[in-house]
Amino acid sequence: MNHMMLDALNQQINEEMYSAYLYLSMVAYFHSMKMPGAAHWMVAQYKEELIHAEKIIAYIMDRGAIFKLREIKEPTNHWSSPIDAFKAAYAHEQHITGCINNLYDIAMREKDYPTVQFLQWFINEQVEEEANSSQIVDDFERIGHDARGLFMLDRELASRPMPVPAPTSKE
Ligand code: OFO
C-alpha cells in the first residue's frame, strides 16, 4: 500500500474513533436528559464506530502495513434538545460519508484495487448509517412535544441490538 493511501486510512481510523467519542458523549447527554432508550441507542452506535475503526486497523495489518493512531479531538457534550443531538448525529454521518467517498477516490486514483474493494463495505454501511439517524430525526419531528410519544420513541430506541464485534485480522 502506498504512503498516501496508508495516510488516508490512518486518518479514517481517527475519524471513526472520533465518531465513537461523539456518540459516547451523546450517551452522557441522553442519560442527563433521562432518556435511557436514546442513551442505549448511542451506546450501540459508539460500539459500532469502534468496530469501524477496528476493521480499518485489521485491513491495514492484512496488507502488511503499520497503522498509526492520532490524537482524538474532544467532542461537544451539550445539545439544545434530543432532536438536536440526533440532527448532529445525522450531520456527522454525512461528513463521514464524504470521508469514505474521498478515500474511495484516492484508492481509484492510486489504482489500489484491494482498497477499492475493501471500501465497498463502508460505502454500503454509510447508506445505513445516514438512514438510521435521519429516520430518528423524522420520528422526533412527527412527535413534537407530545410526552407520551417521546416516551414511546425512547422505548423503541432501547430495543436496538448491540453490534457484533469486528473480525480480527486474517479472519
Ligand atoms: Fe457512523 O459510521 Fe463510522 O464513522
Side-chain angles (χ1 to χ4, degrees):
M1 183 185 312
N2 78 17
H3 180 74
M4 187 188 280
M5 193 74 252
L6 178 60
D7 188 62
L9 287 170
N10 276 328
Q11 183 52 33
Q12 192 60 30
I13 295 171
N14 188 265
E15 294 280 353
E16 302 295 344
M17 294 301 278
Y18 174 75
S19 301
Y21 251 40
L22 177 66
Y23 295 127
L24 192 54
S25 190
M26 288 183 183
V27 171
Y29 170 71
F30 282 114
H31 187 71
S32 77
M33 296 298 285
K34 310 228 176 313
M35 292 185 70
H40 166 91
W41 195 94
M42 287 298 171
V43 170
Q45 189 64 22
Y46 152 73
K47 291 189 177 187
E48 199 161 299
E49 299 304 350
L50 291 181
I51 290 171
H52 294 172
E54 286 163 10
K55 260 185 187 293
I56 301 169
I57 288 169
Y59 174 70
I60 291 174
M61 291 195 295
D62 280 350
R63 292 288 304 274
I66 308 292
F67 68 90
K68 189 168 186 302
L69 300 177
R70 295 172 182 165
E71 189 175 359
I72 304 166
K73 72 172 188 255
E74 185 179 323
T76 314
N77 62 6
H78 185 74
W79 292 270
S80 58
S81 61
I83 190 174
D84 187 47
F86 273 99
K87 277 183 180 168
Y90 178 45
H92 181 68
E93 290 305 332
Q94 290 177 306
H95 161 74
I96 294 295
T97 299
C99 295
I100 298 293
N101 291 346
N102 187 43
L103 279 176
Y104 195 88
D105 286 345
I106 296 171
M108 289 291 280
R109 209 167 49 235
E110 299 299 316
K111 296 190 172 8
D112 185 340
Y113 300 117
T115 303
V116 167
Q117 191 65 30
F118 168 71
L119 290 170
Q120 206 62 55
W121 183 90
F122 282 87
I123 288 171
N124 296 335
E125 175 72 3
Q126 280 313 116
V127 173
E128 200 183 301
E129 290 280 83
E130 285 194 32
N132 288 346
S133 45
S134 112
Q135 176 64 56
I136 297 168
V137 169
D138 289 350
D139 291 345
F140 269 107
E141 262 161 9
R142 211 169 312 113
I143 289 165
H145 295 291
D146 178 58
R148 189 173 160 74
L150 286 169
F151 176 77
M152 296 304 286
L153 177 55
D154 194 59
R155 272 264 180 98
E156 192 188 312
L157 294 174
S159 67
R160 179 178 178 176
M162 286 294 153
V164 284
T168 52
S169 179
K170 303 285 183 208
E171 269 180 47

